[in-house]
Amino acid sequence: INRTPADLLMTLILNHPYSTLIQNGEGKNAFHLAVENNSQDDIFEILVRADKDNTAITTRDNSGNTPIHLAIKNSLSSRSLRILLKSCPKAVLMKNSQDHTPFKLAIKFKSDATVIQTLLDSFQSASTITKLDRKRYDDRRVHFAIDEKVTFPI
């Protein structure tokens, strides 16, 4: 039988539903590893469905990074990033051990405009932020981008 990685992952999760929470010696779970390996979208969709309470997607590794931080550092596609953030928009607000949000990392690593737009869209949908707070947060990020002399391709 010729099985794809997605088939194998689905079988693992069906037999061991909490397997997405297991962390290796570096504190990385299935989301961290999928991001680092630039996995296909179907892998992310399976992981998101298995992580019903968003525990795994918001887990920090031993370096303090969530899978979303690693997605930015590893230049994960905006499509894959969107899959991850759609399940847990608040993950865009989380800071790593260096006090960086994913948005700040995107600016620092000069992520492309579609990645930055995906982060902004996720931020807009984060239900924990009021309209006033959202405006203040957006303004700070715009100022940060200007201070860092960020340029966006047209």
Side-chain angles (χ1 to χ4, degrees), residues 93 123-124 126-138:
L93 303 173
F123 177 79
Q124 296 284 332
S127 61
T128 58
I129 304 298
T130 65
K131 284 186 179 184
L132 180 59
D133 289 337
R134 190 177 302 136
K135 178 168 179 16
R136 275 191 288 221
Y137 189 87
D138 285 345

Short mmCIF file of all heavy atoms in Angstrom, two decimals, residues 93 123-124 126-138:
data_model
loop_
_atom_site.label_atom_id
_atom_site.label_comp_id
_atom_site.label_asym_id
_atom_site.label_seq_id
_atom_site.Cartn_x
_atom_site.Cartn_y
_atom_site.Cartn_z
N LEU A 93 -0.90 37.33 18.39
CA LEU A 93 -0.61 38.28 19.47
C LEU A 93 0.45 37.77 20.45
O LEU A 93 0.94 38.53 21.27
CB LEU A 93 -1.89 38.57 20.26
CG LEU A 93 -3.07 39.11 19.45
CD1 LEU A 93 -4.30 39.19 20.32
CD2 LEU A 93 -2.72 40.45 18.85
N PHE A 123 -4.89 39.36 12.89
CA PHE A 123 -4.99 40.29 13.99
C PHE A 123 -6.36 40.94 14.03
O PHE A 123 -6.98 41.07 15.09
CB PHE A 123 -3.90 41.37 13.88
CG PHE A 123 -4.02 42.38 14.96
CD1 PHE A 123 -3.55 42.11 16.22
CD2 PHE A 123 -4.64 43.58 14.73
CE1 PHE A 123 -3.69 43.03 17.24
CE2 PHE A 123 -4.78 44.51 15.73
CZ PHE A 123 -4.30 44.24 16.99
N GLN A 124 -6.88 41.31 12.88
CA GLN A 124 -8.19 41.94 12.80
C GLN A 124 -9.28 41.02 13.33
O GLN A 124 -10.27 41.47 13.89
CB GLN A 124 -8.52 42.33 11.35
CG GLN A 124 -7.59 43.36 10.75
CD GLN A 124 -7.84 44.77 11.25
OE1 GLN A 124 -8.94 45.09 11.62
NE2 GLN A 124 -6.81 45.58 11.27
N ALA A 126 -8.86 38.62 15.65
CA ALA A 126 -8.63 38.17 17.03
C ALA A 126 -9.71 38.78 17.93
O ALA A 126 -9.78 39.97 18.10
CB ALA A 126 -7.24 38.54 17.51
N SER A 127 -10.55 37.94 18.47
CA SER A 127 -11.72 38.43 19.21
C SER A 127 -11.38 39.05 20.56
O SER A 127 -12.23 39.68 21.18
CB SER A 127 -12.72 37.30 19.40
OG SER A 127 -12.12 36.27 20.15
N THR A 128 -10.15 38.90 21.00
CA THR A 128 -9.79 39.42 22.32
C THR A 128 -9.45 40.90 22.29
O THR A 128 -9.21 41.51 23.32
CB THR A 128 -8.59 38.65 22.90
OG1 THR A 128 -7.51 38.76 21.99
CG2 THR A 128 -8.93 37.21 23.14
N ILE A 129 -9.42 41.51 21.11
CA ILE A 129 -9.02 42.90 20.98
C ILE A 129 -10.25 43.77 20.70
O ILE A 129 -11.03 43.46 19.83
CB ILE A 129 -8.01 43.06 19.83
CG1 ILE A 129 -6.81 42.15 20.02
CG2 ILE A 129 -7.57 44.50 19.66
CD1 ILE A 129 -6.02 42.44 21.28
N THR A 130 -10.38 44.84 21.42
CA THR A 130 -11.48 45.77 21.16
C THR A 130 -11.11 46.64 19.96
O THR A 130 -9.95 46.69 19.56
CB THR A 130 -11.73 46.69 22.36
OG1 THR A 130 -10.59 47.52 22.54
CG2 THR A 130 -12.01 45.90 23.62
N LYS A 131 -12.08 47.34 19.41
CA LYS A 131 -11.81 48.21 18.26
C LYS A 131 -10.76 49.26 18.60
O LYS A 131 -9.86 49.53 17.83
CB LYS A 131 -13.10 48.87 17.77
CG LYS A 131 -13.98 47.95 17.01
CD LYS A 131 -15.17 48.70 16.44
CE LYS A 131 -16.03 47.73 15.66
NZ LYS A 131 -17.15 48.42 15.01
N LEU A 132 -10.87 49.85 19.76
CA LEU A 132 -9.92 50.90 20.15
C LEU A 132 -8.52 50.30 20.30
O LEU A 132 -7.55 50.85 19.79
CB LEU A 132 -10.37 51.55 21.46
CG LEU A 132 -9.47 52.68 21.99
CD1 LEU A 132 -9.37 53.80 20.96
CD2 LEU A 132 -10.03 53.22 23.30
N ASP A 133 -8.42 49.17 20.99
CA ASP A 133 -7.12 48.53 21.15
C ASP A 133 -6.55 48.14 19.79
O ASP A 133 -5.36 48.26 19.53
CB ASP A 133 -7.23 47.28 22.01
CG ASP A 133 -7.47 47.60 23.47
OD1 ASP A 133 -7.14 48.72 23.89
OD2 ASP A 133 -8.01 46.73 24.18
N ARG A 134 -7.42 47.65 18.89
CA ARG A 134 -6.97 47.23 17.57
C ARG A 134 -6.37 48.41 16.82
O ARG A 134 -5.33 48.30 16.21
CB ARG A 134 -8.15 46.64 16.79
CG ARG A 134 -7.71 45.96 15.51
CD ARG A 134 -8.87 45.31 14.77
NE ARG A 134 -9.53 44.35 15.60
CZ ARG A 134 -10.86 44.24 15.68
NH1 ARG A 134 -11.64 45.04 15.01
NH2 ARG A 134 -11.40 43.32 16.45
N LYS A 135 -7.00 49.56 16.88
CA LYS A 135 -6.48 50.74 16.19
C LYS A 135 -5.12 51.13 16.77
O LYS A 135 -4.18 51.37 16.02
CB LYS A 135 -7.45 51.91 16.28
CG LYS A 135 -6.88 53.15 15.60
CD LYS A 135 -7.90 54.22 15.41
CE LYS A 135 -7.37 55.47 14.76
NZ LYS A 135 -6.12 55.43 14.09
N ARG A 136 -5.01 51.14 18.09
CA ARG A 136 -3.72 51.48 18.70
C ARG A 136 -2.65 50.49 18.29
O ARG A 136 -1.52 50.85 17.99
CB ARG A 136 -3.85 51.52 20.22
CG ARG A 136 -4.34 52.83 20.75
CD ARG A 136 -4.17 52.85 22.23
NE ARG A 136 -5.16 51.96 22.80
CZ ARG A 136 -5.86 52.20 23.89
NH1 ARG A 136 -5.66 53.29 24.57
NH2 ARG A 136 -6.75 51.35 24.32
N TYR A 137 -2.99 49.19 18.28
CA TYR A 137 -2.03 48.16 17.92
C TYR A 137 -1.60 48.32 16.46
O TYR A 137 -0.42 48.31 16.15
CB TYR A 137 -2.65 46.78 18.14
CG TYR A 137 -1.68 45.64 18.00
CD1 TYR A 137 -0.92 45.22 19.09
CD2 TYR A 137 -1.50 44.99 16.80
CE1 TYR A 137 -0.03 44.17 18.97
CE2 TYR A 137 -0.62 43.94 16.66
CZ TYR A 137 0.11 43.54 17.76
OH TYR A 137 1.00 42.51 17.63
N ASP A 138 -2.57 48.51 15.57
CA ASP A 138 -2.24 48.69 14.16
C ASP A 138 -1.34 49.90 13.97
O ASP A 138 -0.38 49.85 13.22
CB ASP A 138 -3.52 48.88 13.32
CG ASP A 138 -4.28 47.58 13.11
OD1 ASP A 138 -3.69 46.52 13.37
OD2 ASP A 138 -5.45 47.64 12.71
#
